[in-house]
């Protein structure tokens, strides 16, 4: 009997401990459960600050897009935390709820601004609590006309008044037919102004650059009338201009476009039209029809697909058209890059700039996508990387056009040079070409001037001996006599004939005779005094030397030197060395009004005849003979 009584206190203690532990657990759950209703409260940013809310939010998927605020609040255990700066959803037809807590430790309500930094949300419904805990709904998003949005900004901004003295739990509902990311940022008024100013400064620079290049291209199109500029202007206006204006949410501010169609459906239309325009520009710039016919046909098929998608964008739902336009854009990017690479391999210099331009656009688009998907940080570069790539693309595409025009200009110059060389084969045509070159010498390039001088030299040069020819001799002698007549200076003319040259041709052949004439011509040329003297082939085995400002005695000295240079040693030919001599006739006088080039040549020829009559290998000066 005593044993049970002795154990009862112990049993009561155990029951009491168990009961108190249950009570303590229930009290803990009741107290602690509200604290787990959302992530930790976020302290409001102070003056001039901006806070990324991504790591402080929880999200809930609404597959049917049917949950009310009350149902979302009742589903507190289904919200999942997010740790990245940007919550990336991707393509998803479901709606999404986001919640976050803000703490205002002060005694007065504080005004802050919630920015949804993505322009691809169709509906945004913010549920903000007041001091009594009642929720007010504020609507925004692409389907809300810009004048009806709570705050006028290119992004979706909600003004918040955070109640004092504790935490406030906010709910945000978002859905989109587009790829969905949820980048949330909390600003003070100065922080928002700084963010807006930084963003608008870049966009203003970008739009100013694009506008300048478009106007300059219009001027070049009107001046050069090259259709490649027309397609380039189309790329600038449609892609870099209109598309990015709507892409950046500036359609209402700049163009007054209030209809939500311009925020959604117009995007797939403009993407497809931009891709068609870029492909057409690349085909003309790189001449793919001639240089890459197979790839050109592929590009044409992709262009037709762009037109089909653009047409469908007017009749099908945006969720369908954008899912067609985005893969089509990726295919276009890959195809045009391959076209640019092949064109570069084929030696097209414009392809260098085209490939750089296209690569920069692709890199910028990838960087922007990585930012949108939360795989890259959101900063000034990633926020505008696509536009940066587009701006670089526009610059390098203009350089590609300039290089193409420069190449065509060089080709035209080469064709002109070839035409000049062909025309120089006939004497009359060559004279006309010389006259034309003299009239337009200041307008021609340095290459054309060099070609003209070379043509002139060829036309005045004997092809066998490389001496001046008869025509050049006549022109030079006429000019020299006219000048000497004015200056009252003597002119000397030497006529030279190779002795017994016909037997050389008859015995050894004309090729040996040519070898002999070439070497004799070189010896005569080397025996002249200075560049002012002209040594020319007069015809056959005869040579003529004109010595300006030279009297009879000096002329005889030069003639003797020339005779000795030939007679001093045999001439080298292809059959061996031949002993040859020359006879010279010299005439020197101060020209009178009755003298001409023919009279000087005639007198020198008479002196030459005397040398040949008196035994050859000698110099004769009209009545005076010297061995």
């Amino acid at each position: 009997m005593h044993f049970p009584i002795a154990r009862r206190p112990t049993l009561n203690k155990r029951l009491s401990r168990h009961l108190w532990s249950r009570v303590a657990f229930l009290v803990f759950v009741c107290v602690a459960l509200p604290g787990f209703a959302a992530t930790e409260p976020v302290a409001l940013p102070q003056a001039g600050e901006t806070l990324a809310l991504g790591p402080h939010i929880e999200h809930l998927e609404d597959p049917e897009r049917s949950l009310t605020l009350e149902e979302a609040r009742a589903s507190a255990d289904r919200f999942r935390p997010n740790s990245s700066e940007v919550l990336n959803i991707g393509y998803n037809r479901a709606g999404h709820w986001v919640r976050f807590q803000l703490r205002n430790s002060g005694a007065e309500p504080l005004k802050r601004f919630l920015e949804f930094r993505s322009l691809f949300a169709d509906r945004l419904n913010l549920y903000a609590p007041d001091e009594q805990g009642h929720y007010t709904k504020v609507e925004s998003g692409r389907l809300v006309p810009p004048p009806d949005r709570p705050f006028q900004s290119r992004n979706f901004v909600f003004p918040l008044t955070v109640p004092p003295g504790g935490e406030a739990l906010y709910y945000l509902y978002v859905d989109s037919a587009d790829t969905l990311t949820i980048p949330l940022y909390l600003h003070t008024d100065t922080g928002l102004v700084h963010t807006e100013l930084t963003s608008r400064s870049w966009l203003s620079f970008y739009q100013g650059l694009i506008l300048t290049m478009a106007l300059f291209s219009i001027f070049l199109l009107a001046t050069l009338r090259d259709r490649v500029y027309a397609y380039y202007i189309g790329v600038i206006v449609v892609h870099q201009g209109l598309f990015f204006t709507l892409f950046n949410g500036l359609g209402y501010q700049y163009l007054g476009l209030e209809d939500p169609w311009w925020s959604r459906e117009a995007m797939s239309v403009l993407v497809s039209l931009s891709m068609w325009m870029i492909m057409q520009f690349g085909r003309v710039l790189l001449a793919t029809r001639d240089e890459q016919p197979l790839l050109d046909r592929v590009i044409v098929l992709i262009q037709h697909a762009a037109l089909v998608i653009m047409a469908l964008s007017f009749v099908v739902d945006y969720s369908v058209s954008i899912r067609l336009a985005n893969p089509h854009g990726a295919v276009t990017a890959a195809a045009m890059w391959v076209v640019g690479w092949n064109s570069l391999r084929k030696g097209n210099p414009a392809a260098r700039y085209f490939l750089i331009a296209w690569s920069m656009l692709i890199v910028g688009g990838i960087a922007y996508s990585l930012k949108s998907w939360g795989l890259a940080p959101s900063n000034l570069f990633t926020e505008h990387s696509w536009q940066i790539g587009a701006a670089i693309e526009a610059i390098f595409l203009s350089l590609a056009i300039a290089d193409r025009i420069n190449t065509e200009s060089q080709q035209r110059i080469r064709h002109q040079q070839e035409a000049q060389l062909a025309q120089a084969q006939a004497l009359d045509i060559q004279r006309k070409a010389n006259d034309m070159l003299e009239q337009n010498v200041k307008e021609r390039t340095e290459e054309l001037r060099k070609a003209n001088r070379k043509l002139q030299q060829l036309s005045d040069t004997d092809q066998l001996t490389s001496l001046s020819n008869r025509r050049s001799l006549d022109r030079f002698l006429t000019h020299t006599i006219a000048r000497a007549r004015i200056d009252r200076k003597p002119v000397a003319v030497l006529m030279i004939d190779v002795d017994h040259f016909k037997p050389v041709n008859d015995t050894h052949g004309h090729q040996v005779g040519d070898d002999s004439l070439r070497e004799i011509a070189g010896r005569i040329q080397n025996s002249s005094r200075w560049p002012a003297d002209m040594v020319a082939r007069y015809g056959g085995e005869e040579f003529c030397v004109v010595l300006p400002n030279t009297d009879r005695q000096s002329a005889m000295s030069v003639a003797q030197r020339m005779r000795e240079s030939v007679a001093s040693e045999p001439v080298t030919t292809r059959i061996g060395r031949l002993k040859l001599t020359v006879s010279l006739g010299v005439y020197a006088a101060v020209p009178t009004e009755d003298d001409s080039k023919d009279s000087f040549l005639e007198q020198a020829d008479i002196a030459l005849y005397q040398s040949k009559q008196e035994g050859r290998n000698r110099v004769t000066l009209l009545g005076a003979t010297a061995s």
Side-chain angles (χ1 to χ4, degrees):
M1 297 294 296
H2 296 284
F3 179 73
I5 295 174
R7 293 188 58 184
R8 188 174 294 118
T10 303
L11 180 61
N12 289 339
K13 287 182 180 179
R14 290 180 178 178
L15 291 174
S16 177
R17 290 174 183 173
H18 181 71
L19 179 62
W20 280 110
S21 63
R22 289 295 182 89
V23 172
F25 175 77
L26 291 176
V27 171
F28 173 79
V29 169
C30 294
V31 173
L33 187 57
F36 291 103
T39 56
E40 289 296 321
V42 180
L44 296 179
Q46 301 304 309
E49 294 181 352
T50 293
L51 174 67
L53 287 179
H56 307 285
I57 64 174
E58 292 182 326
H59 63 98
L60 168 66
E61 184 174 341
D62 181 5
E64 302 299 328
R65 300 187 179 183
S66 60
L67 291 180
T68 64
L69 174 62
E70 289 72 19
E71 292 172 337
R73 294 179 65 190
S75 304
D77 57 335
R78 294 170 53 196
F79 277 84
R80 295 292 179 266
N82 174 64
S83 58
S84 60
E85 181 176 338
V86 176
L87 174 59
N88 175 36
I89 305 298
Y91 282 109
N92 191 319
R93 298 188 63 86
H96 291 269
W97 288 84
V98 173
R99 68 178 184 177
F100 55 90
Q101 286 193 88
L102 301 180
R103 178 190 296 122
N104 181 5
S105 303
E108 298 293 333
L110 294 179
K111 187 173 183 180
R112 296 293 183 265
F113 296 89
L114 178 66
E115 178 190 14
F116 189 92
R117 195 175 292 176
S118 172
L119 297 170
F120 303 110
D122 291 340
R123 276 196 303 164
L124 285 171
N125 296 333
L126 177 67
Y127 298 90
D130 56 19
E131 296 185 14
Q132 287 75 36
H134 301 130
Y135 281 88
T136 303
K137 177 182 176 181
V138 183
E139 296 183 350
S140 188
R142 286 192 296 189
L143 297 181
V144 177
D148 299 335
R149 295 173 187 173
F151 191 86
Q152 295 301 311
S153 173
R154 73 180 191 92
N155 290 325
F156 305 120
V157 177
F158 298 90
L160 301 181
T161 301
V162 184
E167 294 84 20
L169 184 61
Y170 291 81
Y171 288 85
L172 177 68
Y173 173 78
V174 55
D175 63 41
S176 177
D178 221 317
T179 178
L180 179 61
T181 58
I182 303 179
L184 291 175
Y185 296 88
L186 192 63
H187 303 279
T188 61
D189 51 355
T190 54
L192 179 63
V193 169
H194 176 74
T195 300
E196 291 273 343
L197 181 61
T198 302
S199 179
R200 285 187 178 273
S201 297
W202 154 247
L203 292 177
S204 298
F205 169 77
Y206 169 79
Q207 291 156 350
L209 174 65
I210 296 303
L211 178 62
T212 301
M213 298 188 71
L215 293 176
F216 183 65
S217 299
I218 292 174
F219 169 76
L220 292 179
L221 174 63
T223 303
L224 302 177
R225 300 185 182 277
D226 192 329
R227 62 174 180 157
V228 71
Y229 275 108
Y231 292 121
Y232 178 71
I233 293 170
V235 173
I236 290 293
V237 172
V238 176
H239 185 229
Q240 275 83 352
L242 187 57
F243 171 75
F244 277 111
T245 296
L246 300 183
F247 178 84
N248 290 317
L250 300 174
Y252 174 66
Q253 288 89 336
Y254 287 175
L255 305 176
L257 304 175
E258 296 185 14
D259 195 306
W261 186 89
W262 292 103
S263 300
R264 268 201 352 163
E265 282 76 4
M267 298 297 292
S268 57
V269 174
L270 292 176
V271 165
S272 302
L273 182 58
S274 298
M275 294 301 102
W276 184 93
M277 195 70 68
I278 290 173
M279 286 185 283
Q280 187 64 20
F281 170 79
R283 291 181 64 208
V284 175
L285 177 70
L286 303 178
T288 58
R289 180 179 298 179
D290 299 327
E291 297 184 4
Q292 304 180 61
L294 179 60
L295 275 175
D296 183 74
R297 288 194 287 270
V298 174
I299 295 300
V300 170
L301 291 177
I302 301 175
Q303 282 186 291
H304 291 335
L307 296 178
V308 171
I309 295 173
M310 184 174 67
L312 289 175
S313 300
F314 290 95
V315 295
V316 302
D317 187 73
Y318 173 74
S319 61
V320 176
S321 64
I322 198 63
R323 282 168 171 80
L324 294 175
N326 284 346
H328 177 269
V331 172
T332 300
M336 295 307 296
W337 197 92
V338 172
V339 167
W341 176 254
N342 284 341
S343 185
L344 181 63
R345 291 175 57 194
K346 292 177 180 295
N348 189 337
R352 295 173 299 174
Y353 299 107
F354 178 85
L355 200 59
I356 294 174
W358 197 238
S359 299
M360 291 299 100
L361 181 64
I362 293 174
V363 170
I366 292 175
Y368 182 85
S369 300
L370 292 176
K371 186 274 300 184
S372 299
W373 297 336
L375 301 178
S378 178
N379 51 44
L380 183 61
F381 170 74
T382 56
E383 186 72 21
H384 303 289
S385 56
W386 198 356
Q387 288 99 305
I388 293 174
I392 297 175
E393 178 203 31
I395 294 172
F396 275 93
L397 288 183
S398 67
L399 294 177
I401 297 175
D403 191 88
R404 172 179 177 269
I405 293 176
N406 182 55
T407 301
E408 292 179 350
S409 177
Q410 291 178 352
Q411 291 176 349
R412 285 195 294 269
I413 292 175
R414 284 197 299 270
H415 293 161
Q416 291 174 355
Q417 292 174 341
E418 293 171 359
Q420 294 294 337
L421 291 174
Q423 291 173 355
Q425 296 176 356
L427 179 60
D428 294 337
I429 298 177
Q430 189 275 332
R431 184 180 297 110
K432 294 178 181 179
N434 287 341
D435 293 339
M436 182 182 65
L437 288 173
E438 290 175 359
Q439 293 174 1
N440 299 315
V441 64
K442 292 184 179 180
E443 301 175 4
R444 296 294 182 182
T445 61
E446 185 64 26
E447 289 80 4
L448 287 176
R449 289 198 294 269
K450 291 180 179 179
N452 181 44
R453 289 195 296 269
K454 184 176 180 180
L455 289 174
Q456 184 67 41
Q457 182 180 2
L458 290 174
S459 66
D460 291 340
T461 302
D462 177 66
Q463 298 302 311
L464 176 63
T465 62
S466 298
L467 298 177
S468 297
N469 58 19
R470 177 68 176 272
R471 183 179 58 185
S472 179
L473 170 68
D474 291 344
R475 187 169 61 248
F476 180 79
L477 183 55
T478 300
H479 174 76
T480 302
I481 291 174
R483 185 67 183 175
R485 187 183 296 118
I486 297 173
D487 297 339
R488 303 296 299 167
K489 300 291 186 180
V491 176
V493 175
L494 283 62
M495 292 296 293
I496 308 171
D497 185 75
V498 181
D499 298 329
H500 305 296
F501 185 72
K502 187 175 183 302
V504 174
N505 283 334
D506 295 341
T507 303
H508 304 292
H510 288 280
Q511 291 183 336
V512 174
D514 290 346
D515 294 340
S516 302
L517 290 178
R518 276 193 290 268
E519 182 159 345
I520 291 173
R523 295 185 184 184
I524 295 173
Q525 178 75 61
N526 293 333
S527 299
S528 62
R529 300 170 303 173
W530 44 65
D533 298 340
M534 169 176 273
V535 180
R537 186 182 181 192
Y538 194 74
E541 66 273 19
E542 288 187 310
F543 300 91
C544 182
V545 180
V546 178
L547 305 175
N549 194 18
T550 304
D551 56 18
R552 296 157 64 94
Q553 182 178 358
S554 298
M556 286 295 292
S557 298
V558 174
Q560 286 287 5
R561 186 165 61 249
M562 291 180 177
R563 184 193 64 79
E564 292 171 359
S565 69
V566 176
S568 60
E569 58 179 301
V571 175
T572 302
T573 68
R574 65 188 64 201
I575 64 169
R577 297 167 67 83
L578 299 178
K579 181 67 176 179
L580 295 175
T581 61
V582 294
S583 299
L584 295 91
V586 180
Y587 176 71
V590 177
T592 65
E593 294 294 333
D594 297 331
D595 287 327
S596 65
K597 66 177 181 61
D598 293 331
S599 64
F600 268 72
L601 291 172
E602 182 180 357
Q603 295 298 320
D605 195 55
I606 293 173
L608 172 64
Y609 182 76
Q610 292 181 7
S611 291
K612 298 175 73 69
Q613 289 292 325
E614 295 175 4
R616 293 184 172 83
N617 190 22
R618 63 185 59 240
V619 178
T620 300
L621 176 64
L622 286 186
T625 302
S627 298

